[in-house]
Coordinates of all heavy atoms in Angstrom, one line a residue:
I1271 N 9.8 13.5 22.2 CA 11.0 14.3 22.4 C 10.6 15.7 22.9 O 11.3 16.2 23.8 CB 11.8 14.3 21.1 CG1 12.4 13.0 20.7 CG2 13.0 15.4 21.3 CD1 13.1 12.9 19.4
E1272 N 9.6 16.3 22.3 CA 9.2 17.6 22.8 C 8.7 17.6 24.3 O 9.1 18.4 25.0 CB 8.1 18.1 21.8 CG 7.5 19.5 22.3 CD 6.3 19.9 21.4 OE1 5.2 19.6 21.8 OE2 6.6 20.6 20.4
W1273 N 8.0 16.5 24.6 CA 7.5 16.3 26.0 C 8.7 16.2 26.9 O 8.7 16.8 28.0 CB 6.6 15.2 26.1 CG 5.8 15.0 27.4 CD1 4.5 15.5 27.6 CD2 6.2 14.5 28.6 NE1 4.2 15.3 28.9 CE2 5.1 14.7 29.5 CE3 7.4 13.9 29.0 CZ2 5.3 14.2 30.8 CZ3 7.5 13.5 30.4 CH2 6.5 13.6 31.2
L1274 N 9.6 15.3 26.6 CA 10.9 15.1 27.4 C 11.6 16.4 27.6 O 12.1 16.7 28.7 CB 11.7 14.1 26.7 CG 11.2 12.6 26.8 CD1 11.9 11.7 25.9 CD2 11.1 12.1 28.2
E1275 N 11.7 17.3 26.6 CA 12.5 18.5 26.6 C 11.8 19.5 27.6 O 12.4 20.1 28.4 CB 12.6 19.1 25.3 CG 13.6 20.3 25.3 CD 13.7 21.0 24.0 OE1 12.8 20.9 23.2 OE2 14.7 21.7 23.7
K1276 N 10.4 19.5 27.5 CA 9.7 20.5 28.3 C 9.8 20.1 29.8 O 9.7 20.9 30.7 CB 8.2 20.5 27.9 CG 8.0 21.2 26.6 CD 6.4 21.2 26.3 CE 6.2 22.1 25.0 NZ 4.7 22.1 24.7
K1277 N 10.0 18.8 30.0 CA 10.0 18.3 31.4 C 11.5 18.2 31.9 O 11.8 17.7 32.9 CB 9.4 17.0 31.6 CG 7.9 16.9 31.2 CD 7.1 17.8 32.1 CE 5.6 17.8 31.7 NZ 4.8 18.7 32.5
N1278 N 12.4 18.8 31.0 CA 13.9 18.8 31.4 C 14.4 17.4 31.5 O 15.3 17.1 32.3 CB 14.1 19.6 32.7 CG 13.8 21.0 32.5 OD1 14.2 21.6 31.5 ND2 13.1 21.6 33.5
K1279 N 13.8 16.4 30.7 CA 14.3 15.1 30.7 C 15.5 14.9 29.8 O 16.3 14.0 29.8 CB 13.3 14.1 30.4 CG 12.0 14.2 31.3 CD 12.3 13.6 32.7 CE 11.0 13.6 33.5 NZ 11.1 13.0 34.9
V1280 N 15.4 15.6 28.6 CA 16.4 15.6 27.6 C 16.7 17.0 27.2 O 15.9 17.9 27.5 CB 16.1 14.8 26.4 CG1 15.9 13.3 26.7 CG2 14.9 15.3 25.6
Y1281 N 17.9 17.2 26.6 CA 18.2 18.7 26.1 C 18.6 18.6 24.7 O 19.5 17.8 24.3 CB 19.4 19.2 27.0 CG 19.0 19.3 28.5 CD1 19.4 18.2 29.3 CD2 18.4 20.4 28.9 CE1 19.1 18.3 30.7 CE2 18.0 20.4 30.3 CZ 18.4 19.4 31.2 OH 18.0 19.4 32.5
L1282 N 17.9 19.4 23.9 CA 18.3 19.5 22.5 C 19.2 20.7 22.2 O 19.0 21.8 22.8 CB 17.0 19.7 21.6 CG 15.9 18.6 21.7 CD1 14.8 18.9 20.8 CD2 16.6 17.2 21.3
L1283 N 20.2 20.5 21.5 CA 21.2 21.6 21.1 C 20.7 22.5 20.1 O 21.2 23.6 19.9 CB 22.6 21.0 20.7 CG 23.2 20.1 21.8 CD1 24.5 19.5 21.3 CD2 23.5 21.0 23.1
Q1284 N 19.7 22.1 19.3 CA 19.0 22.9 18.3 C 17.6 22.5 18.2 O 17.2 21.4 18.6 CB 19.7 22.8 16.9 CG 19.7 21.5 16.3 CD 20.4 21.5 15.0 OE1 21.6 22.0 14.9 NE2 20.0 20.9 14.0
E1285 N 16.8 23.3 17.6 CA 15.3 23.1 17.5 C 15.1 21.9 16.6 O 15.7 21.8 15.5 CB 14.6 24.3 17.0 CG 13.1 24.3 17.0 CD 12.4 25.5 16.7 OE1 13.2 26.6 16.6 OE2 11.3 25.5 16.4
M1286 N 14.0 21.1 16.9 CA 13.7 19.9 16.1 C 13.1 20.4 14.7 O 12.4 21.5 14.7 CB 12.6 19.1 16.7 CG 13.2 18.1 17.7 SD 11.8 16.9 18.2 CE 10.6 18.0 18.9
N1287 N 13.4 19.7 13.7 CA 12.9 19.9 12.4 C 11.4 19.4 12.3 O 11.2 18.3 12.8 CB 13.7 19.3 11.3 CG 13.1 19.5 9.9 OD1 12.7 20.5 9.6 ND2 13.1 18.4 9.1
K1288 N 10.5 20.1 11.9 CA 9.1 19.7 11.8 C 8.7 19.3 10.4 O 7.4 19.1 10.2 CB 8.2 20.8 12.3 CG 8.5 21.4 13.8 CD 8.2 20.3 14.7 CE 8.5 20.8 16.2 NZ 7.6 21.7 16.6
S1289 N 9.6 19.3 9.5 CA 9.1 18.9 8.1 C 9.8 17.6 7.8 O 10.9 17.2 8.3 CB 9.6 19.9 7.1 OG 11.0 20.1 7.0
M1290 N 9.2 16.8 7.0 CA 9.6 15.4 6.6 C 9.6 15.2 5.1 O 8.7 15.5 4.5 CB 8.7 14.4 7.3 CG 9.2 13.0 7.1 SD 8.1 11.8 7.9 CE 8.9 10.2 7.6
K1291 N 10.7 14.7 4.6 CA 10.8 14.4 3.2 C 10.4 13.0 3.0 O 10.9 12.1 3.5 CB 12.3 14.6 2.7 CG 12.6 16.1 2.6 CD 14.0 16.2 1.9 CE 14.3 17.6 1.5 NZ 14.3 18.6 2.6
L1292 N 9.4 12.8 2.2 CA 8.8 11.5 1.8 C 9.3 11.1 0.4 O 9.3 12.0 -0.5 CB 7.3 11.5 1.9 CG 6.7 11.9 3.2 CD1 5.2 12.1 3.0 CD2 7.0 10.8 4.2
I1293 N 9.7 9.9 0.2 CA 10.2 9.4 -1.1 C 9.0 8.8 -1.9 O 8.4 7.9 -1.4 CB 11.3 8.4 -0.9 CG1 12.5 9.1 -0.1 CG2 11.8 7.9 -2.3 CD1 13.5 8.1 0.3
H1294 N 8.8 9.4 -3.1 CA 7.7 8.8 -4.0 C 8.4 8.2 -5.2 O 9.4 8.8 -5.8 CB 6.8 10.0 -4.4 CG 5.9 10.5 -3.2 ND1 4.7 9.8 -2.9 CD2 6.1 11.4 -2.4 CE1 4.2 10.4 -1.9 NE2 5.0 11.3 -1.5
R1295 N 7.8 7.1 -5.6 CA 8.2 6.4 -6.8 C 7.0 6.3 -7.8 O 5.9 6.0 -7.4 CB 8.7 5.0 -6.5 CG 10.1 5.1 -5.7 CD 10.5 3.6 -5.4 NE 11.7 3.6 -4.6 CZ 13.0 3.5 -5.2 NH1 13.1 3.6 -6.5 NH2 14.0 3.5 -4.5
D1296 N 7.3 6.4 -9.0 CA 6.3 6.0 -10.1 C 7.1 5.2 -11.2 O 8.4 5.1 -11.1 CB 5.6 7.3 -10.6 CG 6.5 8.3 -11.3 OD1 7.5 7.9 -12.0 OD2 6.2 9.5 -11.2
P1297 N 6.4 4.7 -12.2 CA 7.1 3.9 -13.1 C 8.3 4.6 -13.8 O 9.2 3.9 -14.3 CB 6.0 3.5 -14.1 CG 4.7 3.5 -13.3 CD 4.9 4.7 -12.4
K1298 N 8.2 5.9 -13.9 CA 9.3 6.5 -14.7 C 10.2 7.3 -13.8 O 11.3 7.8 -14.4 CB 8.6 7.4 -15.7 CG 7.8 6.7 -16.8 CD 7.2 7.7 -17.8 CE 6.4 6.9 -19.0 NZ 5.8 7.9 -19.9
N1299 N 10.0 7.5 -12.6 CA 10.8 8.5 -11.8 C 10.6 8.3 -10.4 O 9.7 7.6 -10.0 CB 10.4 9.9 -12.3 CG 11.5 10.9 -11.8 OD1 12.5 10.5 -11.3 ND2 11.3 12.2 -12.1
F1300 N 11.4 8.9 -9.6 CA 11.2 9.0 -8.1 C 11.6 10.3 -7.6 O 12.6 10.9 -8.3 CB 11.8 7.8 -7.3 CG 13.2 7.8 -7.4 CD1 14.0 8.3 -6.4 CD2 13.9 7.0 -8.4 CE1 15.4 8.3 -6.4 CE2 15.3 7.0 -8.4 CZ 16.1 7.6 -7.4
Y1301 N 11.0 10.9 -6.6 CA 11.2 12.3 -6.2 C 11.0 12.4 -4.7 O 10.4 11.5 -4.0 CB 10.3 13.2 -7.0 CG 8.8 12.9 -6.9 CD1 8.0 13.6 -5.9 CD2 8.2 12.0 -7.7 CE1 6.8 13.3 -5.8 CE2 6.9 11.7 -7.6 CZ 6.1 12.4 -6.6 OH 4.8 12.2 -6.5
L1302 N 11.3 13.5 -4.1 CA 11.0 13.9 -2.8 C 9.9 14.8 -2.6 O 9.7 15.8 -3.4 CB 12.3 14.5 -2.1 CG 13.6 13.6 -2.1 CD1 14.7 14.4 -1.6 CD2 13.3 12.4 -1.3
E1303 N 9.0 14.5 -1.6 CA 7.9 15.5 -1.3 C 8.1 15.9 0.2 O 8.3 15.1 1.0 CB 6.6 14.8 -1.5 CG 5.4 15.6 -1.1 CD 4.1 14.9 -1.0 OE1 4.1 13.7 -1.1 OE2 3.0 15.5 -0.9
V1304 N 8.0 17.2 0.5 CA 8.1 17.6 1.7 C 6.7 17.9 2.4 O 5.8 18.4 1.8 CB 8.9 19.1 1.8 CG1 9.0 19.6 3.2 CG2 10.3 18.9 1.2
K1305 N 6.6 17.3 3.6 CA 5.4 17.4 4.4 C 5.7 18.1 5.7 O 6.6 17.6 6.4 CB 4.8 16.1 4.7 CG 4.1 15.5 3.5 CD 2.7 16.1 3.3 CE 1.9 15.3 2.3 NZ 0.5 15.9 2.1
E1306 N 4.9 19.1 6.0 CA 5.0 19.7 7.4 C 4.1 18.9 8.4 O 2.9 18.8 8.2 CB 4.5 21.1 7.3 CG 5.5 22.1 6.5 CD 6.8 22.2 7.2 OE1 7.0 22.2 8.4 OE2 7.8 22.4 6.4
I1307 N 4.8 18.4 9.4 CA 4.1 17.5 10.3 C 4.4 18.0 11.7 O 5.5 17.8 12.2 CB 4.5 16.0 10.2 CG1 4.2 15.5 8.7 CG2 3.7 15.2 11.2 CD1 4.7 14.1 8.6
E1308 N 3.5 18.8 12.3 CA 3.6 19.3 13.6 C 2.5 19.0 14.4 O 1.3 19.3 14.1 CB 3.9 20.9 13.5 CG 4.1 21.5 14.8 CD 4.4 23.0 14.7 OE1 4.3 23.5 13.6 OE2 4.7 23.6 15.8
D1309 N 2.7 18.4 15.5 CA 1.7 18.1 16.6 C 1.9 19.0 17.7 O 2.9 19.2 18.3 CB 2.0 16.6 17.1 CG 0.8 15.7 16.9 OD1 -0.3 16.2 17.0 OD2 0.9 14.5 16.7
T1310 N 0.8 19.8 18.0 CA 0.9 20.7 19.1 C -0.1 20.3 20.1 O -1.0 19.5 19.8 CB 0.4 22.1 18.6 OG1 -0.9 22.1 18.1 CG2 1.4 22.7 17.6
M1311 N 0.2 20.6 21.4 CA -0.7 20.2 22.5 C -1.7 21.2 22.9 O -1.4 22.3 23.2 CB 0.1 19.7 23.7 CG -0.7 19.0 24.8 SD 0.3 18.3 26.1 CE 0.8 19.7 27.0
R1312 N -3.0 20.8 22.8 CA -4.1 21.6 23.3 C -4.0 21.5 24.9 O -3.7 20.5 25.5 CB -5.4 21.1 22.9 CG -5.6 21.4 21.4 CD -5.9 22.9 21.2 NE -6.6 23.2 19.9 CZ -6.9 24.4 19.6 NH1 -6.7 25.4 20.3 NH2 -7.7 24.5 18.4
P1313 N -4.3 22.6 25.5 CA -4.3 22.6 27.0 C -5.4 21.8 27.6 O -6.3 21.4 26.9 CB -4.4 24.1 27.4 CG -5.2 24.7 26.3 CD -4.7 24.0 25.0
P1314 N -5.3 21.4 28.9 CA -6.4 20.7 29.5 C -7.7 21.5 29.3 O -7.8 22.7 29.5 CB -6.0 20.7 31.0 CG -4.5 20.8 31.0 CD -4.2 21.7 29.8

């Protein structure tokens, strides 16, 4: 999506969220864990 936006192939009305909520379960409970997942491009 980021590549497409930079090349003017798609247009986003707001900035993409770079954090992801992962659902974890254990025998007694389940909960949400937030992970920051950001892929940046190194130049040639």
Side-chain angles (χ1 to χ4, degrees):
I1271 293 171
E1272 181 182 88
W1273 193 95
L1274 291 168
E1275 186 185 28
K1276 284 182 178 178
K1277 301 296 179 180
N1278 295 316
K1279 305 284 187 181
V1280 299
Y1281 300 93
L1282 300 181
L1283 298 178
Q1284 64 183 42
E1285 189 176 346
M1286 276 192 301
N1287 179 42
K1288 302 292 179 70
S1289 62
M1290 183 180 186
K1291 285 186 169 62
L1292 301 171
I1293 300 172
H1294 288 274
R1295 293 177 180 270
D1296 61 37
K1298 296 182 179 180
N1299 199 2
F1300 63 94
Y1301 59 93
L1302 299 177
E1303 178 190 11
V1304 177
K1305 282 281 188 181
E1306 292 295 326
I1307 302 174
E1308 183 175 3
D1309 237 326
T1310 58
M1311 189 169 76
R1312 287 291 200 175

